[in-house]
Amino acid sequence: MKKGVSFLVTVAFMALASFLASAYDPSPLEDTCVAVDEPNNAVFVNGKFCKNPNLTVAEDFLYQGLNIPGNTSNYVGSIVNLINVDQLPGENTLGVSVARIDYEPNGQNPPHFHPRASEVFIVLEGTLFVGFITSNPEHRFVSKVLNKGDVFVFPFSLIHFQVNIGHTNAVAIAAFNSQNPGIVTIASSMFGSNPPINPDFLARAFQLDKRVVEYLQARF
């Protein structure tokens, strides 16, 4: 009996440890771990080499320019300026990053998900229609119209989007619980993969005419 209980406890502990390990970036073991590309005299931790803590300077923890609007002249009418560990080395091992998103009227941040992060979304200017879709089999569509000062949360790794439904430009800030949240945009990933996915497969998966799939693959 004791062996059985001990085994269950061990399995439960391993499952919990696995969940915690995959839920967010690993916890830092030092006060600072500024990312560096040159590994000389550096330590490899959490995917980035760490600068000697005694050599860090204020600039390692500073990014300037998030106040500058991005260029939204593209086919979706929005632009994302993600400040991850590559742009702000001081984020390394801290499990945080931030982005500014600019939208022109009717512009959208198309359906996508972040494979390594949840997202806190804050509207600075404008009116945005946002939403996310829950996992199989429910596929619940949770949506809301947001205005200046509103805050919305997109849960970990769920498909979500934003659309500017106002008549003026909109601006938002997104904060992530990962130094490198990653992004998978649904349409461009499926129809713009390299090499291309067999159009017969995509036509059946999305219930589309094969010619439509081939057009989308040529576009992306």
Side-chain angles (χ1 to χ4, degrees):
M1 182 66 177
K2 281 188 176 181
K3 287 185 178 180
V5 172
S6 177
F7 174 75
L8 290 176
V9 170
T10 301
V11 171
F13 178 80
M14 291 176 66
L16 178 60
S18 175
F19 169 77
L20 292 174
S22 63
Y24 47 77
D25 291 352
S27 299
L29 302 177
E30 304 291 341
D31 289 339
T32 65
C33 181
V34 174
V36 291
D37 295 324
E38 175 54 55
N40 291 339
N41 299 317
V43 179
F44 189 69
V45 179
N46 290 10
K48 290 286 184 179
F49 286 99
C50 299
K51 189 176 187 178
N52 185 329
N54 296 325
L55 301 179
T56 59
V57 294
E59 284 71 22
D60 293 327
F61 305 93
L62 173 68
Y63 177 89
Q64 295 177 303
L66 208 60
N67 61 309
I68 301 172
N71 183 2
T72 58
S73 298
N74 53 60
Y75 74 98
V76 294
S78 73
I79 190 72
V80 178
N81 182 13
L82 175 63
I83 314 304
N84 63 14
V85 68
D86 293 322
Q87 288 74 39
L88 185 54
E91 290 179 350
N92 197 34
T93 77
L94 300 184
V96 295
S97 57
V98 67
R100 170 181 172 138
I101 309 104
D102 291 275
Y103 313 79
E104 63 184 32
N106 298 314
Q108 62 174 277
N109 190 7
H112 64 279
F113 67 91
H114 305 286
R116 293 180 289 276
S118 303
E119 177 180 347
V120 177
F121 185 81
I122 308 156
V123 179
L124 300 184
E125 297 290 344
T127 302
L128 295 165
F129 176 62
V130 309
F132 65 84
I133 302 166
T134 64
S135 57
N136 299 357
E138 290 82 9
H139 298 148
R140 288 187 58 231
F141 177 38
V142 180
S143 64
K144 193 71 177 176
V145 173
L146 304 182
N147 295 293
K148 181 177 179 179
D150 289 345
V151 180
F152 198 80
V153 173
F154 297 115
F156 186 91
S157 205
L158 292 186
I159 295 172
H160 59 281
F161 68 89
Q162 307 103 36
V163 182
N164 182 4
I165 59 174
H167 301 293
T168 60
N169 291 342
V171 183
I173 293 291
F176 305 95
N177 63 334
S178 171
Q179 68 184 41
N180 186 21
I183 182 168
V184 179
T185 304
I186 306 304
S188 59
S189 295
M190 296 304 298
F191 298 105
S193 65
N194 184 23
I197 299 173
N198 187 321
D200 290 318
F201 169 73
L202 291 177
R204 183 170 185 179
F206 288 95
Q207 296 295 290
L208 296 172
D209 187 279
K210 182 179 177 181
R211 290 169 296 181
V212 174
V213 172
E214 291 172 335
Y215 167 78
L216 291 171
Q217 288 182 315
R219 181 176 177 83
F220 286 102

